[in-house]
């Protein structure tokens, strides 16, 4: 989700999607717009992930306190880096700071024991692998305790390989390498796809969950289809 507007979240919640990922890395979400969208999602019992702006602990904390069920962290390069984000997302010594007064915690209505238990069961931490060095460290990243899934970023990885499209032998090899690491570690494997047809193609690499397009892409597709239909009608008159 790229648009920091509650209305867009409400519409996406009606679409049949299993979840939405708010993009704080590349879209103009501030803490207020993030909180508003997560409030609506929480009220509707709809799971939302946040792709945080960076791996900084404060970004992870803010997304989770605001009501996200988990975080997607960009540019995780090593097992050590993966361990740091896994720790930052979970309560414990040196980890996520505890506050019982946040939206996620129910504004003081839950006991510490209950909230700690819910966090352990609910919180999802996804490490984005989108650099060649990260592909080389995929086994270590996937095997890290507290990492629930790895996410191969095909666009950034393609650019890092010096490509101008997402159709290269290097990217296909990376899909296989990261997929093998995820299977070995028993972790989820995710990626971004433009549509269902692309999802079908990359599923051969073992990808089991997909971040599909964005509301921008769907708005464009719907508008273009309507425009094409009207122009075809006019030309046929």
């Amino acid at each position: 989700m790229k648009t920091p507007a509650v209305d867009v979240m409400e519409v996406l919640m009606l679409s049949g999607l299993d979840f939405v990922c708010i993009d704080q890395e590349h879209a103009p979400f501030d803490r207020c717009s993030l909180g508003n969208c997560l409030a609506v999602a929480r009220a509707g019992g709809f799971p939302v992930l946040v792709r945080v702006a960076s791996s900084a602990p404060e970004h992870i904390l803010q997304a989770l306190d605001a009501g996200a069920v988990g975080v997607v962290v960009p540019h995780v390069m090593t097992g050590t880096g993966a361990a740091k984000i896994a720790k930052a997302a979970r309560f414990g010594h040196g980890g996520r700071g505890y506050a019982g007064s946040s939206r996620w915690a129910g504004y003081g209505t839950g006991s510490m024991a209950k909230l700690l238990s819910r966090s352990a069961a609910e919180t999802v931490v996804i490490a984005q692998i989108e650099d060649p060095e990260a592909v080389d460290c995929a086994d270590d990243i996937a095997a890290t305790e507290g990492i629930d899934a790895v996410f191969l970023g095909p666009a950034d990885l393609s650019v890092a390989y010096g490509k101008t499209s997402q159709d290269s032998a290097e990217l296909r090899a990376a899909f296989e390498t990261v997929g093998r690491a995820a299977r070995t570690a028993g972790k989820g494997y995710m990626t971004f796809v433009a549509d269902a047809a692309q999802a079908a193609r990359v599923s051969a690499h073992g990808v089991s969950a997909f971040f599909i397009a964005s509301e921008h892409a769907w708005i464009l597709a719907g508008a273009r289809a309507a425009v094409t239909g009207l122009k075809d009608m006019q030309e046929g008159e």
Side-chain angles (χ1 to χ4, degrees):
M1 179 174 163
K2 304 285 190 179
T3 310
V6 171
D7 313 68
V8 174
M9 176 61 75
E10 290 179 298
V11 171
L12 292 175
M13 288 167 62
L14 298 171
S15 68
L17 290 167
D18 294 317
F19 64 92
V20 160
C21 181
I22 287 176
D23 187 358
Q24 268 199 309
E25 184 185 17
H26 294 293
F29 280 90
D30 58 19
R31 290 191 69 177
C32 182
S33 56
L34 176 69
N36 290 341
C37 289
L38 287 171
V40 168
R42 273 278 168 189
F46 185 79
V48 175
L49 300 168
V50 175
R51 178 161 70 175
V52 291
S54 77
S55 61
E58 59 266 29
H59 291 157
I60 294 171
L61 170 69
Q62 289 166 12
L64 294 174
D65 275 2
V69 299
V71 290
V72 183
V73 182
H75 296 287
V76 178
M77 304 287 281
T78 64
T80 300
K84 288 180 179 178
I85 66 172
K87 187 173 186 178
R90 294 185 170 85
F91 297 114
H93 185 202
R96 176 182 174 186
Y98 181 85
S101 58
S102 67
R103 173 181 296 110
W104 176 84
Y107 297 111
T109 60
S111 69
M112 179 179 285
K114 181 179 179 180
L115 292 173
L116 293 176
S117 177
R118 179 154 68 85
S119 174
E122 173 183 294
T123 304
V124 177
V125 181
I126 302 165
Q128 284 196 216
I129 294 178
E130 45 192 345
D131 303 275
E133 300 91 332
V135 174
D136 294 338
C137 290
D139 286 326
D140 290 340
I141 295 170
T144 300
E145 184 178 356
I147 296 297
D148 299 292
V150 290
F151 178 107
L152 187 143
D156 275 324
L157 194 51
S158 294
V159 171
Y161 282 136
K163 308 300 180 182
T164 57
S165 76
Q166 295 181 34
D167 182 20
S168 70
E170 290 89 341
L171 184 62
R172 289 190 290 274
F175 264 112
E176 285 296 321
T177 297
V178 177
R180 186 164 52 249
R183 288 193 300 274
T184 299
K187 304 295 177 66
Y189 188 22
M190 303 173 166
T191 193
F192 173 86
V193 293
D195 51 37
Q198 188 179 11
R201 291 194 295 273
V202 300
S203 64
H205 300 293
V207 179
S208 55
F210 304 95
F211 289 49
I212 300 181
S214 69
E215 81 281 10
H216 288 179
W218 291 330
I219 290 168
L220 277 171
R224 285 170 173 166
V227 169
T228 298
L230 287 171
K231 288 184 175 180
D232 288 346
M233 179 189 70
Q234 291 168 345
E235 291 171 0
E237 291 178 350

